[in-house]
Amino acid sequence: MISNILKSRSLATVSSLLLRKTQAVRCLSTFDKHRSIFDTLGIQKTNNKGVFDGEWKGSGEIVASYNPVNNEVIGEVVTGTTADLDLALDKVAEAQKIWREIPVPKRGHVLLTMRNALVDNLEPLGKLVALEMGKILPEGIGEVQEYIDILEYALGLSRTLQGSIIPSERPGHAMLETWNPLGTVGIISAFNFPVAVYGWNCAIALVTGNGTLWKPAPTTPLVSIAVTRIIAKALKDHDLPPSLCALVTGDTDVGRALSEDKRAHVLSFTGSTKVGREVGKTVQGRFGRSILELGGNNALIVTDECDLDLAARAILFAAVGTAGQRCTTTRRLIVHESVYTPLIEKLKKAYKQVKVGDPLDDGVLCGPLHTQEAVSVYKNTLDDLKKEGGEVVVGGRVLDDGPLKHGNFVEPTMTKVRPDMKIVQNEAFVPILHTMTYKTLDEAIAINNSVAQGLSSSIFTNNPSTIFKWIGPSGSDCGIINVNIPTNGAEIGGAFGGEKETGGGRESGSDSWKQYCRRGTCTINYSGALPLAQGINFG
């Protein structure tokens, strides 16, 4: 009897210890649970300085960075002010005077060091993106890889940047083009790609001889601090002033001041059309140069002459990837009426198999929305949809109970709508895919082009005639025009950007580097005479 009692007490003690240990693990803060990541990247739980102009500082408000999985505070950042921005712009300008005199191939050596440093920190930085932004780990790592890729691209440019020799109509004259740096590139980036958008701009700005000042999204300050630390060390390794790539975290007042400041010769802004319109006016008002990457509202057309299985796989990634928070996410699915039912059935099955959860967990395909405000946008969009007579085909629920109840989780959702509905004209930055039908190719293209935005578009077809009409003058009016691939997942080698209310800016590859340069037409007279153009005789 006594033996059984002692055995029972022993088991109870062990169970109690195990329960306490489990509870302790569950009660660990996001920071403590992932401390190794933060230690590797030089991030602290408190007192992270959010300004870098060669020195780490910050005189603004202390703001918290939140984990969208559970809305816990990850860490705190001392943000910057407009006064910090003012000083940082001067520091960038000083450093840029040194940088612009370095031969372009030698600039490439510095970019190679940056590239290697990012490779060394690929996994921890990708995990930090997943923690702070909320995208799944493969996408977080992929985003850092995108920065690595554009640095490799810029390294190639450092050996291949060219101007033009232009025939002169005057004897004894030579005419050529020069491309010189403009000075400082201001970069205002968005929360959804807290590494890559900065990377596109920074890499190309640097190879063309500019300095940069980065104002990141207010909700992703930790990622920006970690990236800046890596880039600053690479500059120091080459005995260059690290203030060449400055950082000022903060709220809208800092972004507004940057857009108004003439010392930001180029301003790249990624964000909403509403804000981008005002930024464009401000920068143009001071005769600066703006690169605007704004709203998308992208469409994907499925014809009756395509591989439906291929289309279904592409649509799932295009609509659900990054929880619908890419500027290139597919928002509108335009399907030929003859294949609508079988395609939607395939998609319904696929949607129901999507695992929603912590972006660091294996098998999760859809993480949380970035903020609680985004959850409200999701709910309001579906309410408006129903008022207009639209139908929810699959999904449509906020996951506010169960193990995900403390986070910003929603079900990826498909609807059935008419293309003339108001709800289709406006982009909601959440995983809601509006589906509709069409009869003719001309009608499908018209639907694609009917919205105010013009970023990305795609068509699925095996018909060459359809392909060439789609990419031709009577086809898609977007900046990205794909065939048999999703609307998202752009490669760095092409120019990225869109038309209409997307802003018209182009970043990343192709000849986007020209936007960061001062273009000069230079005529050299080596004849000893003075013949004038157009045969003018002036005495």
Side-chain angles (χ1 to χ4, degrees), residues 44 208 302 340 423 486:
Q44 303 169 338
T208 49
V302 177
Y340 179 83
I423 196 75

Short mmCIF file of all heavy atoms in Angstrom, two decimals, residues 44 208 302 340 423 486:
data_model
loop_
_atom_site.label_atom_id
_atom_site.label_comp_id
_atom_site.label_asym_id
_atom_site.label_seq_id
_atom_site.Cartn_x
_atom_site.Cartn_y
_atom_site.Cartn_z
N GLN A 44 18.89 43.32 -30.00
CA GLN A 44 18.61 43.19 -28.58
C GLN A 44 17.10 43.24 -28.34
O GLN A 44 16.34 43.63 -29.23
CB GLN A 44 19.30 44.32 -27.80
CG GLN A 44 20.80 44.38 -28.00
CD GLN A 44 21.41 45.64 -27.44
OE1 GLN A 44 20.73 46.65 -27.24
NE2 GLN A 44 22.71 45.60 -27.18
N THR A 208 26.09 52.44 -59.41
CA THR A 208 26.09 53.64 -60.25
C THR A 208 26.70 54.85 -59.53
O THR A 208 26.68 55.96 -60.06
CB THR A 208 24.66 53.98 -60.71
OG1 THR A 208 23.76 53.95 -59.60
CG2 THR A 208 24.19 52.98 -61.77
N VAL A 302 -7.25 32.49 -67.49
CA VAL A 302 -7.15 31.07 -67.83
C VAL A 302 -8.01 30.82 -69.07
O VAL A 302 -9.23 30.98 -69.03
CB VAL A 302 -7.60 30.17 -66.67
CG1 VAL A 302 -7.56 28.70 -67.08
CG2 VAL A 302 -6.73 30.40 -65.44
N TYR A 340 -14.42 26.99 -66.32
CA TYR A 340 -14.53 27.60 -64.99
C TYR A 340 -14.81 26.55 -63.92
O TYR A 340 -14.11 26.47 -62.90
CB TYR A 340 -15.61 28.67 -64.98
CG TYR A 340 -15.80 29.33 -63.63
CD1 TYR A 340 -14.99 30.39 -63.23
CD2 TYR A 340 -16.78 28.89 -62.74
CE1 TYR A 340 -15.15 31.00 -61.99
CE2 TYR A 340 -16.95 29.48 -61.50
CZ TYR A 340 -16.13 30.53 -61.13
OH TYR A 340 -16.29 31.11 -59.89
N ILE A 423 -16.21 46.05 -55.92
CA ILE A 423 -15.25 45.36 -55.07
C ILE A 423 -14.03 44.90 -55.87
O ILE A 423 -12.92 44.80 -55.34
CB ILE A 423 -15.92 44.14 -54.38
CG1 ILE A 423 -15.07 43.64 -53.20
CG2 ILE A 423 -16.18 43.00 -55.34
CD1 ILE A 423 -15.12 44.51 -52.00
N PRO A 486 2.84 32.38 -62.76
CA PRO A 486 2.01 33.24 -61.90
C PRO A 486 2.29 34.72 -62.14
O PRO A 486 3.25 35.10 -62.81
CB PRO A 486 2.42 32.82 -60.48
CG PRO A 486 3.12 31.51 -60.63
CD PRO A 486 3.74 31.51 -61.98
#
